[in-house]
Amino acid sequence: MDPLAQQTGLGTEGIRGWIINNLLPLLLLTVALLLLWLGGGKGDNAGVMRRVVGVFVALALIGFAVTGAGVDIGTFIAGLFSTSG
């Protein structure tokens, strides 16, 4: 008798795709609106830019995690320091 997961081919691709396609853009929109609302009205442009740079760094990390590009970038950086003849 096979477990149900093996019979139906259950996996995590559906929920992963839903999070990437639906939840992530909604969270990014919320963060962008909060940044504009909280910092833009006070005239604290430097503070807003610090937060925006932090958001861009977080977006880059999310992008590396989702696409798997972090492995390629790590291999490239390691190749810069390796001494192969």
Side-chain angles (χ1 to χ4, degrees), residues 29-47:
L29 178 65
T30 304
V31 167
L33 290 175
L34 283 174
L35 284 174
L36 290 174
W37 182 62
L38 291 175
K42 298 177 186 174
D44 184 20
N45 294 334

Side-chain angles (χ1 to χ4, degrees), residues 59-80:
L59 287 175
L61 292 176
I62 291 171
F64 291 152
V66 169
T67 62
V71 175
D72 296 333
I73 293 172
T75 304
F76 172 75
I77 292 173
L80 292 175

